[in-house]
Amino acid sequence: MSLESSISDLVRASNDLTGAVSGKMDQINNTLAQWAVLAPVTLGVGAGQQFASIQDAWNSLLGKVLKAPVTIQVADGVYPMTQLILENQPYAHLITIQGNVANPANCILKFIPDSDRKSHGVFLKNVRRLNFSGFKMIGENTNSNWTWRCMYFSNAEVYVNDNSLIFSGAQYGIEMHDSSVLQAKGVQLSQQAGAAVFVGDGSLARLEKLNIVGPGKDSRIPTAVSGQLYDVFPDGISCVDTAKAWCADATISNVRLAMAVERNAYLWAPRVTIDKVASGALANAGGCLWTDDGGTKVPSKVTNANYGYQALSNGMIIAPMAIAENCINGFVAELRGYIYAENGYAKSCTSTGYYAGRSGYIDAVGTAKNSVGNATQYNPASSGVAGNSNASIDFS
């Protein structure tokens, strides 16, 4: 065999090997494409897009290894659904689900009833550091469609772009359990039948500039869904069972309980503005509500309420400079409840500006000058007054 022939055979063999390897690599890459995301990708949802629904786009990622960010981009429009289930995704920290972040009212998730006349909203479970932004969610409070909540969290951690979530209707707007985490600024909620925001079971919510408008402080919304007959009362934010919430600069109106913290939970809410409610700030059963911002010296303010600030059953409210105006009762501490309200005032309250009973205590030093127009300014006017069961108020 000549040298030229030998070289030709070697080149041919090399080319065959290269082709075989290339073919195998194509097979490997095709397989990886089915079971992994190796480069940033955007999955479109909507008319004429890759997926018809968010659920389809989410499900397409289940079982895949995500090595790069994935954006599920939802086009403007209305998306009817009974429930959206986002759960059990170990790579949720690489996923962004977004509609119209600049104008969330243009991208609507509308919850429609199942055969049992219920809808269930967005269900998030076992997902960590997911970004979910740019939507308006609409539920209903009728016996033909009772939406339990717009968003439900169970062991979920979610981050939201500023001013990009709107909630309308449903029993709960946001419901959090099982040590979940939510960070969202400028969330808007309206017309919830129950609590607009419920934070429970050790969960943590950071909801600065929260805006809540309810159906009315005396509203009582009946439901008979699935044979259950009971009344639901609209509240603002409820924080219970060792949960924590940060709600600086919140605005809350037309609900029963604007802010309620109970059972060893903590709520930090400086510079809040509350109007037309049954109770503005309630700390009960070991709950702690703190409205001191420690910096700007802008007070919290409750107007047109049955009770401005209430501390009951070892509840504690730290509210320096706090204002209660045009209320029935401005500040009330009972059953060993404690209120620190120095240098604020109660004004034009038709019953009592500051009331302590049954071992309650109020520190109202520096409130006398601006507390005017109340039917009764301080009750008791000194410690240990008969009928107040060792309650006391310090004031000047």
Side-chain angles (χ1 to χ4, degrees):
M1 179 181 295
S2 67
L3 178 60
E4 290 181 355
S5 178
S6 297
I7 292 173
S8 177
D9 289 345
L10 288 172
V11 170
R12 186 181 305 108
S14 176
N15 289 339
D16 290 344
L17 179 60
T18 299
V21 170
S22 178
K24 291 297 183 182
M25 289 304 299
D26 287 343
Q27 293 179 25
I28 291 171
N29 289 335
N30 289 335
T31 300
L32 287 174
Q34 295 176 21
W35 297 106
V37 175
L38 304 178
V41 65
T42 296
L43 307 179
V45 174
Q49 301 295 315
Q50 184 179 359
F51 295 96
S53 70
I54 300 172
Q55 191 71 71
D56 290 343
W58 177 269
N59 290 348
S60 75
L61 300 172
L62 296 178
K64 290 186 177 181
V65 176
L66 305 188
K67 296 291 188 180
V70 176
T71 299
I72 298 176
Q73 181 63 58
V74 186
D76 287 356
V78 179
Y79 297 86
M81 62 186 73
T82 295
Q83 185 173 24
L84 171 60
I85 299 175
L86 307 174
E87 64 177 347
N88 300 329
Q89 174 53 270
Y91 301 101
H93 60 286
L94 292 171
I95 300 175
T96 294
I97 302 175
Q98 66 180 24
N100 190 325
V101 173
N103 192 352
N106 287 348
C107 194
I108 297 173
L109 309 184
K110 184 175 176 59
F111 304 119
I112 59 175
D114 57 17
S115 59
D116 204 23
R117 297 177 293 152
K118 300 176 185 176
S119 51
H120 304 276
V122 180
F123 180 90
L124 300 118
K125 183 176 182 179
N126 298 332
V127 293
R128 311 303 292 184
R129 292 188 287 155
L130 173 73
N131 185 292
F132 187 92
S133 306
F135 298 101
K136 179 177 183 179
M137 285 166 265
I138 300 177
E140 292 188 78
N141 308 318
T142 68
N143 286 332
S144 60
N145 181 19
W146 190 266
T147 307
W148 289 113
R149 82 284 294 172
C150 288
M151 291 189 78
Y152 180 92
F153 297 73
S154 174
N155 189 34
E157 181 180 356
V158 176
Y159 295 87
V160 179
N161 291 21
D162 293 354
N163 307 307
S164 69
L165 285 185
I166 302 172
F167 299 85
S168 177
Q171 179 167 336
Y172 297 95
I174 297 168
E175 183 180 358
M176 300 177 65
H177 297 276
D178 307 317
S179 301
S180 292
V181 176
L182 172 63
Q183 181 169 313
K185 181 183 289 186
V187 174
Q188 301 177 47
L189 301 105
S190 62
Q191 305 304 311
Q192 278 72 46
V197 179
F198 179 89
V199 187
D201 306 322
S203 295
L204 169 63
R206 298 188 66 97
L207 298 168
E208 287 85 355
K209 296 188 176 180
L210 181 70
N211 180 265
I212 297 173
V213 179
K217 69 176 185 178
D218 298 318
S219 293
R220 180 192 297 259
I221 302 172
T223 177
V225 176
S226 301
Q228 302 176 56
L229 180 62
Y230 58 92
D231 291 334
V232 180
F233 300 91
D235 294 329
I237 178 167
S238 179
C239 193
V240 305
D241 298 328
T242 72
K244 298 179 178 66
W246 278 256
C247 300
D249 303 296
T251 302
I252 304 173
S253 63
N254 295 293
V255 296
R256 183 185 60 160
L257 306 178
M259 300 187 302
V261 55
E262 301 182 87
R263 300 194 294 275
N264 301 312
Y266 176 88
L267 176 59
W268 184 69
R271 303 180 299 277
V272 295
T273 302
I274 297 170
D275 186 42
K276 298 183 180 66
V277 298
S279 180
L282 170 66
N284 183 40
C288 180
L289 194 155
W290 194 288
T291 70
D292 180 17
D293 69 354
T296 64
K297 303 303 181 184
V298 176
S300 60
K301 186 174 184 178
V302 179
T303 55
N304 301 301
N306 297 358
Y307 295 90
Y309 301 80
Q310 276 185 292
L312 307 175
S313 301
N314 294 307
M316 177 185 295
I317 296 177
I318 308 299
M321 303 183 299
I323 298 168
E325 190 168 341
N326 295 321
C327 299
I328 297 175
N329 299 280
F331 297 79
V332 174
E334 294 188 276
L335 299 170
R336 299 173 302 283
Y338 171 82
I339 299 178
Y340 176 88
E342 287 191 357
N343 302 314
Y345 63 83
K347 182 178 179 180
S348 301
C349 294
T350 58
S351 180
T352 308
Y354 296 83
Y355 173 84
R358 294 180 288 179
S359 300
Y361 174 75
I362 302 176
D363 183 343
V365 172
T367 63
K369 179 180 177 181
N370 294 317
S371 293
V372 297
N374 302 305
T376 300
Q377 193 87 305
Y378 302 102
N379 181 7
S382 61
S383 298
V385 172
N388 286 83
S389 302
N390 298 314
S392 62
I393 303 173
D394 284 340
F395 62 89
S396 62

